[in-house]
């Protein structure tokens, strides 16, 4: 009984976390301009899809109605129509152009790395993530680096999410241009956080980079999105976006620990 009472008190807290929900059909709330652009593009394409679907269904219904045997016992012998062929060629082309323009704009914005204020390196392992903040190196050997492991279900505290919580979160400042450098130490992984609009492959021996600009504070959950072995589903990603003041304090504490 106590467990269910505690769960009820924890539900409002869980509701503010950017994580998947049971029976969720849509996107998670966007926290970056890129994710907002992805959602807007999805809605725009769905609009065209619905219009085309309604038009095609209307044409099919009219065809079945007007060309049935009772209304048209003698079949029409139409073998060519220049006007209609031009129409069904030009119209889809215009639709594709209308879709392509915002698609390319979004694609280029996802690859553009503005001069970053913070650089974080994520390294995929079987089966956990490790992170390095190389901007604050005081020597060639010292740096802020830590591993991020899944918290076992038996160690979860009330309000924490099963299979999504980690012992060390990635802490970044809001309203700051961040560069994520992503690689792997063994096999293919993929660093993906839906609310941030980020999904970047971690390839052994290669450095991939992706920009992030988080517009609001919060805790954002993701998972490895590349099948990497038996425990692929047990290497979550947790990004905590905080104010610049709190981020500076977190960095100071990490430097003192080093």
């Amino acid at each position: 009984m106590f467990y269910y009472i505690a769960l009820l008190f924890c539900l409002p807290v869980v509701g503010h976390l950017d994580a998947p929900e049971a029976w969720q059909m849509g996107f998670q709330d966007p926290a970056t301009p890129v994710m907002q652009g992805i959602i807007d593009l999805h809605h725009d394409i769905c609009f065209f899809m619905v219009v085309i679907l309604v038009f095609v269904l209307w044409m099919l219904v009219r065809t079945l109605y007007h060309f049935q045997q009772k209304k048209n016992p003698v079949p029409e012998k139409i073998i060519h129509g220049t006007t209609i062929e031009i129409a069904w060629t030009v119209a889809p082309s215009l639709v594709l152009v209308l879709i392509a323009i915002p698609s390319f704009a979004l694609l280029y914005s996802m690859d553009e790395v503005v001069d970053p204020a913070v650089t974080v390196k994520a390294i995929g392992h079987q089966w956990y993530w490790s992170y390095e903040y190389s901007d604050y190196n005081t020597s060639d050997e010292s740096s802020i680096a830590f591993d991020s492991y899944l918290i076992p279900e038996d160690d979860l505290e009330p309000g924490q999410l099963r299979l999504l919580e980690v012992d060390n979160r990635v802490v970044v400042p809001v309203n700051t241009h961040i560069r994520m450098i992503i690689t792997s130490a063994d096999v293919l992984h993929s660093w993906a956080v839906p609310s941030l609009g980020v999904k970047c492959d971690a390839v052994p021996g290669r450095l991939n980079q992706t920009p992030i600009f988080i517009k609001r504070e919060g805790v954002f959950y993701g998972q490895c999105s590349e099948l990497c072995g038996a425990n692929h589903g047990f290497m979550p990603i947790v990004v905590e976006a905080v104010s610049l003041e709190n981020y500076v304090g977190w960095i100071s504490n990490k430097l003192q620990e080093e």
Side-chain angles (χ1 to χ4, degrees):
M1 184 67 182
F2 176 77
Y3 171 78
Y4 291 104
I5 296 175
L7 183 61
L8 288 176
F9 281 105
C10 293
L11 281 178
V13 178
V14 175
H16 292 292
L17 302 178
D18 289 82
E21 300 177 1
W23 298 98
Q24 181 175 347
M25 297 295 293
F27 293 99
Q28 297 180 24
D29 294 334
T32 63
V34 167
M35 188 58 195
Q36 184 64 58
I38 293 174
I39 294 175
D40 292 340
L41 179 63
H42 171 268
H43 292 169
D44 293 341
I45 293 176
C46 282
F47 168 77
F48 287 109
M49 181 184 69
V50 170
V51 171
I52 294 171
L53 177 64
V54 171
F55 175 74
V56 172
L57 289 176
W58 176 75
M59 290 291 293
L60 289 174
V61 171
R62 282 184 59 87
T63 301
L64 292 174
Y65 176 76
H66 288 288
F67 292 93
Q68 60 178 308
Q69 185 178 5
K70 292 181 180 180
K71 297 183 70 68
N72 196 13
V74 180
E76 296 287 346
K77 296 182 179 180
I78 301 175
I79 59 175
H80 182 72
T82 303
T83 303
I84 193 171
E85 289 185 4
I86 293 175
W88 71 40
T89 301
V90 173
S93 300
L94 294 177
V95 172
L96 292 176
V97 169
L98 292 175
I99 294 175
I101 293 174
S103 298
F104 284 121
L106 179 62
L107 185 63
Y108 289 133
S109 67
M110 294 171 68
D111 289 336
E112 182 180 5
V113 179
V114 182
D115 188 19
V118 177
T119 298
V120 182
K121 184 178 181 181
I123 305 172
H125 303 265
Q126 289 180 313
W127 287 271
Y128 64 96
W129 293 95
S130 61
Y131 298 94
E132 297 178 5
Y133 290 71
S134 57
D135 293 334
Y136 312 103
N137 289 3
T138 56
S139 66
D140 293 338
E141 297 182 356
S142 64
S143 63
I144 299 177
F146 54 87
D147 297 330
S148 182
Y149 287 91
L150 169 75
I151 297 180
E153 187 173 353
D154 295 338
D155 297 334
L156 290 176
E157 298 178 359
Q160 290 187 325
L161 302 179
R162 174 178 170 272
L163 297 181
L164 288 177
E165 296 290 349
V166 296
D167 54 358
N168 289 307
R169 295 175 173 177
V170 182
V171 179
V172 293
V174 296
N175 297 320
T176 303
H177 289 286
I178 303 165
R179 175 175 58 186
M180 289 296 306
I181 298 177
I182 299 166
T183 187
S184 172
D186 36 49
V187 299
L188 287 175
H189 300 277
S190 184
W191 200 83
V193 184
S195 291
L196 306 183
V198 175
K199 184 180 183 299
C200 187
D201 289 341
V203 183
R206 177 171 178 172
L207 297 178
N208 290 331
Q209 67 175 2
T210 183
I212 301 177
F213 185 85
I214 304 177
K215 300 180 65 176
R216 58 182 173 86
E217 297 183 23
V219 181
F220 310 100
Y221 292 85
Q223 291 176 301
C224 176
S225 296
E226 185 71 37
L227 186 59
C228 56
N231 291 330
H232 159 69
F234 301 94
M235 49 183 302
I237 302 161
V238 182
V239 177
E240 183 175 357
V242 300
S243 63
L244 184 59
E245 294 78 10
N246 291 338
Y247 175 74
V248 172
W250 182 82
I251 289 294
S252 299
N253 292 333
K254 283 292 186 181
L255 290 174
Q256 292 176 2
E257 293 176 2
E258 296 294 331

